[in-house]
């Protein structure tokens, strides 16, 4: 018996192998048959020199079916590249190919034209003349699939077509196709087109042209047409307005709601519910409410389509009719909703019948749960909706539980303080075996947890938090054991929100160890990065310093200093995320130095990752507080530049170094710009100060000129008086001045000693262009010298003694008188010489002014000559231009040779005249040079005379020194005479008294 079993199994195995061999042979047979011959390959070969447009035209003309379909499928690409040539050459060929083409090419053309219309890559007139005709031509194709494809293309084209084109090209055929004589497919297309074009026209046009056509289609003999037109009445109603909808369309909808076909009634019901917002309160009370109640009563499990539509629209109609229902009607609707929530479920064991319509009804109930919570009010949730809600969350079908999980966050928000009622269902969804349910719950888990964990001081809820945390950890472990790493990544991302909802101690004890294990053991990079971000969030919002310190030490020991380079890379990922989560100060304190220590890492990938991270670390530094850290970072960069051998790391660190150099250069430029602005401000201040000083100097110069002119007038008057008076009066005046100034010998001497210097300074200050100032200064100096010389005369003391003393005094008096007379005559001679020098100086200044005038005249003449020279050059250029014209005429007019010869001779005469003028100009130039040399000679002569005047001044200073020596000798004699007068004091006083 045992051997028989073995034989049977072996025979079955052999049969299975034979079947596999037959299948392989069947698969290989078409491959062998698909091999092309040389002739077929030649037919499929296309010249490579053809461009895209020419190749498309060639393939559409002589190509095979597959090639034509390929060209039509790639038609949008050709339109994007060259729209004009494509619509001029390719689209007509496509239109030719479509005539009699198969379904494959028809579908490809419809899809291509639909893509072109949706991308808006052509103009409106191109829509009209290149595509619309083709679409309308193949709209009534015998194949329903092809016809529907062209219909979708037309519906897309209507959005871009103008009103006039729609009216002429679309509506006119529409009126013809909506007749009963046409096919069912044509009338169905007319219904959809009618609903599409209604939004393009105003209400008057819709009421006048489209509404009668819609009514006729609503009365069509085929229920498919009536149902299709009934669903398009919503678009027509929104185009006509509220008033016309109530008077024209609502009666039609009510009539369709009583149709014998369920599809028509269902379409009318859906349309009425969708138009409920356009109805007033009376219509809702008297039309919509009875219709809804009748549908709810008549809907049975046998009519699945009505149940599906009712379950989908249930929340909308309850929200729209909430204020217009009685308590009995509300209870009946709630009862109907509870029935829909368990539709298709068997009472025993909560098993399903496996009907897709029933599953769809329960999914629709899950979709309408938030609206029903609002309709039943949160206070009555436990008695009205909780059993149905719990049944949906524990439904045997995964799709139903997934729909319940998708709407769970909205239900939790609406419950408010009663959120603890659904805690059990939340745990059930978190512990669900199907990952699809957990995926739907993860989409809004942060909103759900925020609603559950932030409801004040709820003791009941606080006791259930450990269960919730355990369910969250279990869900993470379940997802982590699966291969759905994207769901794992999403779950870790949602868990990061727990840092803001739960205390840091709870997270540190329960979640942080698990997140760290994922960070170090998981092999999926996106999951590891999300775990790193979640760990950083836990670290960021932890309030206890010891726990934060412990987490940081664990990061550094296990990751930054870990043995696996993979862990060290994860530490750099954490540093990158930390720049987005933590402050700069925290990053510089805890993350910067451990990251920079990885510059010595033996793995090139770690160093490469560090080089990529350096710009972010550099941006976290603040100077001058972080100057030492910046030095450490620069040291690491220099070390990498010097020692690194990996080319990728070198390229990255050089790029960072260049960027850093650019930053330094930018800072330098900024400093230079700031310095330039400061220098500009300083220059402005200096310019303003210089202007003020110039104004002050100008004012002083004006004042000095005024005082100098007054001094000059005084000197002239005093010199005239001196020359007119007699010599005796001059002597008496000088003696009187000497007597009056005898008490100030020191001051007079000091003034006398300063006199030559002042004269020299005044003489040196004069120059060309300042002759008047020089004259005034010289005369002032002469007046001062004369005054000082006369004021320095010694005081003569006459004494009347006895015979010898009288003789001695007479001799002394005579000698002193002769000396004084000699000195006076000498000073007069000096004054005369000075006046002569002044006269000569004035003559020289007058001559200098004449020379300057002549120089200016010569400059003017020179400028005139320059102007004449430029005029002559301009005339010369004109003559050259005329010469060129004459040469051109000579080359072009050979028959006028004689005339040209005459003109050439005339031109030669003019040229000689021009040469004569040029020689004259050269002569004038030489004359000007001679005059310039003469002026230079006169200038040198003037310089010589000035030097002779300086020599005379030197002689005058020598005479002054000699006069000082004479004054000193006179002073010695005076002192001796004083001593003699003192010794003979008594006698002199006696003689003086006798004389008196």
């Amino acid at each position: 018996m045992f051997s028989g079993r073995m034989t049977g199994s072996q025979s079955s195995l052999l049969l299975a192998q034979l079947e596999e061999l037959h299948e392989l042979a069947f698969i290989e047979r078409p491959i062998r048959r698909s091999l092309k011959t040389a002739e077929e390959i030649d037919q499929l070969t296309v010249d490579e020199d053809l461009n895209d447009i020419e190749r498309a035209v060639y393939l559409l003309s002589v190509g095979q079916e597959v090639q034509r379909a390929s060209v039509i499928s790639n038609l949008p690409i050709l339109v994007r590249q060259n729209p004009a040539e494509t619509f001029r050459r390719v689209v007509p060929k496509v239109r030719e190919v479509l005539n009699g083409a198969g379904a494959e090419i028809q579908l490809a053309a419809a899809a291509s034209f639909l893509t072109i219309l949706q991308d808006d890559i052509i103009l409106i007139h191109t829509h009209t003349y290149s595509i619309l005709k083709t679409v309308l031509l193949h709209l009534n194709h015998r194949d329903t699939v092809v016809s529907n494809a062209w219909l979708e293309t037309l519906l897309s084209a209507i959005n871009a077509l103008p009103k006039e084109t729609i009216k002429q090209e679309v509506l006119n055929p529409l009126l013809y196709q909506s007749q009963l004589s046409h096919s069912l497919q044509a009338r169905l297309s007319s219904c959809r087109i009618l609903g599409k074009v209604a939004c393009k026209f105003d209400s008057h046009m819709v009421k006048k042209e489209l509404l009668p056509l819609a009514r006729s289609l609503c009365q069509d003999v085929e229920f498919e047409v009536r149902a299709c037109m009934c669903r398009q009445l919503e678009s027509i109603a929104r185009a006509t307005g509220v008033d016309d909808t109530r008077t024209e369309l609502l009666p039609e909808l009510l009539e369709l709601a009583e149709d014998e076909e369920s599809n028509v009634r269902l379409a009318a019901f859906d349309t009425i519910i969708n138009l409920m917002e356009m109805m007033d309160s009376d219509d809702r009370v008297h039309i919509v409410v009875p219709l809804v109640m009748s549908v709810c009563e008549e809907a049975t499990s046998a009519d699945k389509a009505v149940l599906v539509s009712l379950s989908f629209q249930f929340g909308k109609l309850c929200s729209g009719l909430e204020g217009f229902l009685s308590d009995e009607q509300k209870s009946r609707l709630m009862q109907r909703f509870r029935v829909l929530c368990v539709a298709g479920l068997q009472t025993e064991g909560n098993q399903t019948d496996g009907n897709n319509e029933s599953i769809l009804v329960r999914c629709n109930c899950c979709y309408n749960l938030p609206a029903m919570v609002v309709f039943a009010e949160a206070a009555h949730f436990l008695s009205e909706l909780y059993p149905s809600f719990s049944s949906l969350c524990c439904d045997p079908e995964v799709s139903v539980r997934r729909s319940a999980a998708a709407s769970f966050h909205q239900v939790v928000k609406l419950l408010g303080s009663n959120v603890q009622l659904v805690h059990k269902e939340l745990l059930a969804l978190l512990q669900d075996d199907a990952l699809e349910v957990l995926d739907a719950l993860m989409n809004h888990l942060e909103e759900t947890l925020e609603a559950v964990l932030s409801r004040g001081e709820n003791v009941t809820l606080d006791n259930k938090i450990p269960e919730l945390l355990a369910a969250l950890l279990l869900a993470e472990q379940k997802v982590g054991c699966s291969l759905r790493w994207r769901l794992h990544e999403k779950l870790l991302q949602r868990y990061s929100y727990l840092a803001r909802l739960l205390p840091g101690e709870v997270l540190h004890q329960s979640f942080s160890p698990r997140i760290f294990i994922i960070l170090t053991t998981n092999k999926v990079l996106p999951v590891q990065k999300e775990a790193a971000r979640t760990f950083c969030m836990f670290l960021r919002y932890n309030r206890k310093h010891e726990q934060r310190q412990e987490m940081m030490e664990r990061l550094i020991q296990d990751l930054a200093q870990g043995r696996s380079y993979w862990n060290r890379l994860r530490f750099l990922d954490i540093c990158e995320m930390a720049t987005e989560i933590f402050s700069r100060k925290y990053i510089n304190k805890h993350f910067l130095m451990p990251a920079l220590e990885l510059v010595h890492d033996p793995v090139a990938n770690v160093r490469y990752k560090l080089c990529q991270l350096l710009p972010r670390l550099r941006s976290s530094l603040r100077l001058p507080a972080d100057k030492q850290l910046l030095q450490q970072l620069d040291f690491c960069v220099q070390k990498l530049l010097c020692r690194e051998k990996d080319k990728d790391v070198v390229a990255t660190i050089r790029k960072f170094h260049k960027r850093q150099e650019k930053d330094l250069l930018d800072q330098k430029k900024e400093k230079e710009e700031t310095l330039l602005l400061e220098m500009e401000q300083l220059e402005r201040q200096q310019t303003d100060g210089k202007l003020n000083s110039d104004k002050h100097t100008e004012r002083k110069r004006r004042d000095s000129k005024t005082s100098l002119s007054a001094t000059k007038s005084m000197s002239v008057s005093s010199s005239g008086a001196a020359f007119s008076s007699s010599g005796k009066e001059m002597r008496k005046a000088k003696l009187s001045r000497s007597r009056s100034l005898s008490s100030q010998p020191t001051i007079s001497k000091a003034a006398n000693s300063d006199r030559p210097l002042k004269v020299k300074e005044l003489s040196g200050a004069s120059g060309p262009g300042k002759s008047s100032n020089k004259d005034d200064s010289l005369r002032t100096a002469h007046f001062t010298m004369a005054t000082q010389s006369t004021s320095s005369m010694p005081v003569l003391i006459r004494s009347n003694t006895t015979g010898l003393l009288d003789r001695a005094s007479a001799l002394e008096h005579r000698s002193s008188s002769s000396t004084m007379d000699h000195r006076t005559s000498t000073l007069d001679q000096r004054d005369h010489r000075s006046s002569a020098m002044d006269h000569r100086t004035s003559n020289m200044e007058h001559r200098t002014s004449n020379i300057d005038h002549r120089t200016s005249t010569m400059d003017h003449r020179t400028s005139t000559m320059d102007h004449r020279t430029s005029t002559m050059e301009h005339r010369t250029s004109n003559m050259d231009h005329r010469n060129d014209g004459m040469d051109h005429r000579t080359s072009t007019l050979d028959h006028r040779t004689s005339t040209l010869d005459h003109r050439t001779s005339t031109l030669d005469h003019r040229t000689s005249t021009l040469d004569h003028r040029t020689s004259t100009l050269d002569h004038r130039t030489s004359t000007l040079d001679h005059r310039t040399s003469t002026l230079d000679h006169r200038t040198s002569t003037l310089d010589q005379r000035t030097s002779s005047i300086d020599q005379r001044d030197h002689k005058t200073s020598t005479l002054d020194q000699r006069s000082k020596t004479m004054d000193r000798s006179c002073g010695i004699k005076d002192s001796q005479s004083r001593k003699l007068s003192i010794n003979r004091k008594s006698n002199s006083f006696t003689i003086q008294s006798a004389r008196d």
Side-chain angles (χ1 to χ4, degrees), residues 693-722:
S693 62
D694 291 342
K695 291 180 181 179
H696 187 64
T697 307
E698 183 68 22
R699 192 180 297 111
K700 282 187 175 180
R701 188 176 65 82
R702 291 175 182 174
D703 296 341
S704 62
K705 281 186 177 181
T706 305
S707 61
L708 191 61
S709 61
T711 308
K712 183 178 179 181
S713 61
M714 290 173 64
S715 63
V716 171
S717 61
S718 63
S719 61

Side-chain angles (χ1 to χ4, degrees), residues 63 109 255 259 329 360 365 516 597 714 780 794 881 935 941:
E255 184 179 353
D259 196 273
Q329 291 173 341
L360 186 56
C365 291
F516 197 83
E597 290 176 358
M714 290 173 64
T780 306
H881 181 68
L935 180 63
T941 304

Side-chain angles (χ1 to χ4, degrees), residues 599-614:
V599 71
H600 305 288
D601 197 277
V603 181
N605 289 345
V606 179
R607 301 194 300 274
Y608 180 72
K609 182 71 176 179
L610 175 62
C611 294
Q612 290 180 336
L613 187 63
L614 284 178

Side-chain angles (χ1 to χ4, degrees), residues 234 433 468 500 602 890 947:
E234 180 181 354
D433 295 332
L468 178 61
R500 303 177 182 179
T890 303
S947 61

